[in-house]
Amino acid sequence: MPTTAPTSGGAAPGLTDVTASDSALRRFLHGLPGVDAVGLEARAASLGTRSIKTTAKAYAIDLAISMVDLTTLEGADTPGKVRALGAKAVHPDPTDRGTPATAAVCVYPDMVAVAKEAVAGSDVKVASVATAFPAGRAPLSVKLADVREAVAAGADEIDMVIDRGAFLAGRYLKVYDEIVAVKEACGTDARLKVIFETGELSTYDNIRRASWLGMLAGADFIKTSTGKVAVNATPANTLLMLEAVRDFRAQTGVQVGVKPAGGIRTSKDAVKFLVLVNETAGPDWLDNHWFRFGASSLLNDLLMQRQKLATGRYSGPDYVTVD
Amino acid sequence: MTMENAHATAAFEYAPAPESRSVVDIAPSYGLFIDGEFAEAADGKVFKTVSPSTEEVLSEVAQAGEADVDRAVRAARKAFGKWSALPGSERAKYLFRIARIIQERSRELAVLETLDNGKPIKETRDADLPLVAAHFFYYAGWADKLEHAGFGAAPRPLGVAGQVIPWNFPLLMLAWKIAPALATGNTVVLKPAETTPLSALFFADICRQAGLPKGVVNIVPGYGDAGAALVAHPDVNKVAFTGSTAVGKEIARTVAGTRKKLTLELGGKGANIVFDDAPIDQAVEGIVTGIFFNQGQVCCAGSRLLVQESVHDELLDALKRRLSTLRLGDPLDKNTDIGAINSAEQLARITALAEQGEAEGAERWSPACELPASGYWFAPTLFTNVTQAHTIARDEIFGPVLSVLTFRTPDEAVAKANNTPYGLSAGIWTEKGSRILAVANKLRAGVIWSNTFNKFDPTSPFGGYKESGFGREGGRHGLEAYLDV
């Protein structure tokens, strides 16, 4: 059975030694099997050719809707915008109340209280980005204060960014310690998603190392991207992270979730990601406790496809709500 | 028919997604294609071709005998003069036209090939057909550049090529044979395998559609006797054969002492070598592609897995987990990974060899797998605890059966990989570039893939060492087999 991640970092069973020092951690991360880029991308592309039709499509679309972290992360966010988003998360399709709610709304820390109120009484969670999102370039004390404020305002989930500068400079223990500290600031109630900004890590080997680093430090979720850089979630980098959570559970018994974010806009893409989940990590991850989509425009496309499956007609953008 | 993990909740069941059969119109009967016309066999004989996944009879095909082969060779001879005298740029036009028609009709041909051969539509659609068209495009490009190919200032064609092809990649093997032959100015008589004659007959129609002059391509479906008659025909200048080593040896004996030029592409027992520093997840994919692509009915299959002992358990666990996700069933379903075995005869051979593996003490494993009630099926199978002394490590099985052996050092890996009468393909999996080069230099195999397997491209020569045959097909090297050099 799935177990939850340890509440404090570094407690992954059997792997306590590897975080004992910077060099031990480095040896461990660099000892992970390499990733052949051509082979990884070929496997992702091949799973992308699965043909998901009729009943399977209906199942996948509802599942995808339930996995959306409906997101607004703009400088221009207002309480009104966040309330609208919250209402939509609870009842995505005003014409069909049977439509599943999304998993969460995802906002900046100062909007957490508003969001919390907007989804009150539902199962929709409030996720907040924190730790000086999206760059992560702030002193640790500021990052931790950011997290504590968001948690205090009621955030159920914290989406932190790692220090990519430290990671790329090879200072893995610094990245690790920071995640551990943030996890501690999350307390026992808020789940922690660790964003790697895979587009900045650049190589697949780095993404595999970052995944293990995050999981060792106690991440509840590992997440591809902020959505603020040129390359965000791709089938290949998500496939790689799904392999990492699968292997981590096999080794430690701890199940960690995966969240691709940024760039997933169509139902067709979302279904392809679910195929990746199904055939890589396995059915245990086909649940919004373990897999999420960080997206904003994806939801409307899912709703339009859902309406089309139900009615046989494609309704068009006037029949879903604009946000 | 999906092989799900036993513990899986199985919520995400893929609904059937069959490719439509209506895109292909299979006639109840077909003739031989000789001198631009379809004709019955001289003795009126016919044979049935069935769909291996259902055993349904697809069509009745005229069965060529010695007299028909003779007529076909004479037609090819008659056409040779004019065809070989055409400027290369004119021959290229026909080949480009054929390539384009194949692309336009690729969906139809993919469905046809899947029906007649039993392989999944995913493969015919994404591998066979694109490669067939690519092969014609590639050799079309050579037709007017032969004087720059490195075979002299004005290389001449040989004359009439007699070509005998197998059933595992019917249309692709046809392309490998016909495209270079026509580009260099030869005319051909081709005998497709008796279990898969249909795509060659559709190709005959494509030749007509392309306006190819009569007699340049002749197709004579039939059994081994037709192939033997073609190979032995005194007016054939060139023999090209792809198939079993036993038949290849027979052909070599027939051709010995004649002026015929011969190329043979025969069996294999490819070693897929996984070192402990390999990219494990991709190696698993490569192993699966190596042995389960086309149900393992591939001469260059990676049928021997040589894995370094230090990663054996980890790799085998990952491989078994991966095999449990393979989807076996209706080849026309777009989500099918493993289709049917081509014939009852081949299934019997695979079954017998697998039983021998067990009898000799190797440990057999297959994922939980329900086989369809009709048709010819064999579950993906792997054998562990296999040594060089086991029959399944030495004989070509030509089916979805992987023999797993171990090694301790690179030298041992090379020694075991080369310890076979065959020498067609090998794979090397390591993240260390210098090791790839060092090991590749020591392997005696015609094709060596590193960190991938079963990748094909018309620009790359393909062929074997030792009992895997001689001569190269594909690339610039592939021209030599059809030129008088």
Side-chain angles (χ1 to χ4, degrees):
Chain A
M1 269 309 290
T3 48
T4 49
T7 48
S8 64
L15 289 171
T16 42
D17 292 351
V18 307
T19 53
S21 69
D22 217 345
S23 60
L25 184 53
R26 183 185 181 79
R27 270 198 305 278
F28 175 77
L29 295 177
H30 285 255
L32 292 167
V35 184
D36 185 79
V38 174
L40 175 71
E41 287 168 10
R43 172 67 176 153
S46 134
L47 285 173
T49 69
R50 289 290 192 218
S51 182
I52 305 301
K53 302 288 184 207
T54 60
T55 51
K57 188 175 180 183
Y59 165 83
I61 286 177
D62 275 12
L63 183 62
I65 292 171
S66 80
M67 288 173 163
V68 169
D69 278 4
L70 195 58
T71 302
T72 185
L73 295 170
E74 304 298 334
D77 284 345
T78 59
K81 162 89 182 176
V82 170
R83 274 194 288 272
L85 205 71
K88 181 160 183 160
V90 176
H91 292 297
D93 187 345
T95 67
D96 182 356
R97 293 273 155 168
T99 311
T102 71
V105 289
C106 184
V107 295
Y108 271 116
D110 63 335
M111 289 293 167
V112 168
V114 180
K116 199 69 193 164
E117 206 180 298
V119 301
S122 76
D123 292 333
V124 176
K125 307 269 192 275
V126 172
S128 174
V129 297
T131 68
F133 180 93
R137 298 251 67 86
L140 181 59
S141 57
V142 174
K143 294 182 185 179
L144 294 178
D146 202 14
V147 173
R148 288 194 195 101
E149 295 262 343
V151 173
D156 304 295
E157 301 172 354
I158 295 295
D159 290 31
M160 73 169 285
V161 288
I162 64 161
D163 183 343
R164 282 89 76 191
F167 184 94
L168 291 170
R171 291 157 63 207
Y172 299 126
L173 201 58
K174 177 170 193 298
V175 181
Y176 172 85
D177 287 340
E178 212 169 279
I179 300 170
V180 171
V182 171
K183 175 75 184 167
E184 212 173 281
C186 286
T188 48
D189 295 335
R191 292 178 86 203
L192 176 63
K193 307 197 193 95
V194 179
I195 304 170
F196 301 133
E197 200 66 299
T198 51
E200 290 183 353
L201 299 188
S202 178
T203 70
Y204 290 123
D205 287 331
N206 274 346
I207 295 171
R208 171 166 284 167
R209 289 171 192 148
S211 298
W212 279 82
L213 178 60
M215 292 186 291
L216 287 168
D220 296 295
F221 260 91
I222 53 177
K223 176 175 168 184
T224 59
S225 339
T226 60
K228 303 288 185 190
V229 296
V231 180
N232 295 292
T234 65
N237 63 31
T238 305
L239 171 60
L240 179 55
M241 287 163 65
L242 286 163
E243 288 170 355
V245 296
R246 175 197 70 196
D247 295 344
F248 190 77
R249 188 178 75 169
Q251 200 164 335
T252 67
V254 176
Q255 185 164 348
V256 176
V258 177
K259 178 178 172 184
I264 306 166
R265 294 192 180 85
T266 65
S267 301
K268 204 169 180 174
D269 284 344
V271 171
K272 284 180 185 178
F273 278 85
L274 293 181
V275 167
L276 294 180
V277 176
N278 193 35
E279 299 199 35
T280 307
D284 286 352
W285 270 263
L286 287 173
D287 182 299
N288 70 7
H289 198 68
W290 300 115
F291 195 77
R292 297 282 178 84
F293 291 105
S296 42
S297 59
L298 170 64
L299 182 58
N300 272 352
D301 194 63
L302 288 166
L303 295 175
M304 287 190 280
Q305 290 298 332
R306 192 176 189 277
Q307 290 171 357
K308 179 173 183 289
L309 273 183
T311 64
R313 284 170 290 109
Y314 187 74
S315 54
D318 285 347
Y319 295 83
V320 291
T321 57
V322 294
D323 317 300
Chain B
M1 268 159 250
T2 311
M3 292 170 273
E4 293 285 355
N5 291 327
H7 64 81
T9 49
F12 195 5
E13 283 290 351
Y14 304 161
E19 177 61 85
S20 169
R21 248 188 96 149
S22 63
V23 298
V24 58
D25 186 12
I26 302 175
S29 68
Y30 286 94
L32 314 168
F33 184 68
I34 298 175
D35 207 14
E37 306 293 337
F38 286 100
E40 286 178 21
D43 56 10
K45 276 194 184 167
V46 294
F47 66 100
K48 292 181 167 60
T49 183
V50 304
S51 171
S53 61
T54 59
E55 299 174 59
E56 168 205 356
V57 174
L58 294 170
S59 187
E60 236 176 39
V61 177
Q63 181 183 333
E66 209 177 326
D68 305 298
V69 168
D70 180 58
R71 204 159 69 80
V73 172
R74 278 188 282 118
R77 173 62 57 195
K78 194 176 74 190
F80 174 67
K82 271 191 181 170
W83 177 252
S84 58
L86 281 181
S89 56
E90 290 302 312
R91 288 199 306 272
K93 284 181 189 171
Y94 288 108
L95 289 169
F96 278 123
R97 205 175 294 157
I98 288 170
R100 284 195 303 268
I101 296 170
I102 287 167
Q103 282 186 322
E104 282 159 14
R105 295 177 64 174
S106 65
R107 190 151 165 242
E108 171 196 1
L109 293 167
V111 171
L112 176 76
E113 196 83 312
T114 285
L115 284 169
D116 205 18
N117 171 278
K119 64 172 74 185
I121 187 76
K122 182 172 101 169
E123 290 181 10
T124 51
R125 180 195 64 196
D126 297 343
D128 294 55
L129 264 297
L131 282 168
V132 169
H135 229 83
F136 278 99
F137 277 118
Y138 176 75
Y139 279 109
W142 269 119
D144 63 351
K145 303 173 192 72
L146 296 174
E147 64 269 35
H148 306 293
F151 302 113
R156 298 295 308 153
L158 294 163
V160 175
Q163 306 175 321
V164 179
I165 60 168
W167 44 260
N168 57 344
F169 295 90
L171 197 56
L172 182 58
M173 291 302 104
L174 174 150
W176 282 26
K177 296 283 181 286
I178 291 185
L182 297 195
T184 46
N186 301 275
T187 55
V188 306
V189 178
L190 177 131
K191 189 198 88 70
E194 64 268 24
T195 60
T196 55
L198 293 182
S199 54
L201 293 165
F202 273 58
F203 179 80
D205 182 51
I206 288 171
C207 291
R208 295 217 292 198
Q209 206 182 336
L212 193 72
K214 289 181 175 189
V216 171
V217 167
N218 304 274
I219 310 279
V220 287
Y223 285 75
D225 61 319
L230 178 56
V231 166
H233 197 287
D235 204 26
V236 162
N237 305 93
K238 151 81 192 175
V239 171
F241 171 74
T242 296
S244 72
T245 294
V247 174
K249 286 179 176 174
E250 221 175 284
I251 290 174
R253 278 191 287 270
T254 307
V255 169
T258 72
R259 291 174 58 90
K260 289 174 191 169
K261 192 163 171 171
L262 176 66
T263 45
L264 297 172
E265 200 267 87
L266 309 174
K269 193 72 188 175
N272 209 355
I273 307 169
V274 180
F275 289 98
D276 60 3
D277 58 357
I280 295 292
D281 288 303
Q282 287 74 48
V284 166
E285 291 307 315
I287 294 163
V288 170
T289 305
I291 188 60
F292 300 117
F293 178 60
N294 198 21
Q295 296 68 246
Q297 302 168 130
V298 184
C299 48
C300 55
S303 50
R304 285 184 298 155
L305 173 62
L306 290 175
V307 53
Q308 194 155 4
E309 276 187 36
S310 50
V311 287
H312 174 272
D313 293 354
E314 182 191 344
L315 185 77
L316 263 287
D317 286 349
L319 184 59
K320 287 177 177 177
R321 182 184 60 216
R322 175 69 175 86
L323 296 192
S324 303
T325 69
L326 288 174
R327 305 173 65 86
L328 176 144
D330 178 8
L332 276 179
D333 192 305
K334 291 176 227 168
N335 293 324
T336 291
D337 300 315
I338 306 282
I341 302 299
N342 182 251
S343 65
E345 189 189 350
Q346 186 58 23
L347 179 60
R349 178 181 160 77
I350 298 167
T351 306
L353 277 164
E355 278 165 9
Q356 195 169 346
E358 268 184 292
E360 290 177 13
E363 200 174 311
R364 182 176 184 161
W365 183 90
S366 284
C369 177
E370 194 187 318
L371 301 180
S374 63
Y376 318 127
W377 301 90
F378 198 87
T381 300
L382 62 85
F383 279 99
T384 49
N385 293 331
V386 180
T387 71
Q388 295 289 103
H390 284 83
T391 307
I392 52 170
R394 311 201 67 80
D395 287 16
E396 184 181 42
I397 299 173
F398 223 63
V401 181
L402 178 67
S403 299
V404 183
L405 296 90
T406 60
F407 68 88
R408 296 161 297 175
T409 64
D411 283 348
E412 188 181 351
V414 169
K416 283 183 169 171
N418 285 338
N419 180 216
T420 165
Y422 296 112
L424 192 51
S425 74
I428 304 169
W429 294 85
T430 170
E431 283 276 282
K432 190 165 176 166
S434 59
R435 180 170 291 149
I436 293 172
L437 299 174
V439 171
N441 275 333
K442 292 179 195 155
L443 290 174
R444 285 178 294 159
V447 188
I448 296 170
W449 286 289
S450 61
N451 292 337
T452 189
F453 211 95
N454 272 345
K455 285 274 184 289
F456 304 97
D457 191 285
T459 63
S460 175
F462 182 96
Y465 277 47
K466 302 189 277 184
E467 289 197 21
S468 290
F470 48 80
R472 292 293 177 265
E473 293 181 295
R476 183 185 65 81
H477 308 70
L479 295 167
E480 186 180 357
Y482 291 94
L483 289 171
D484 186 11
V485 292

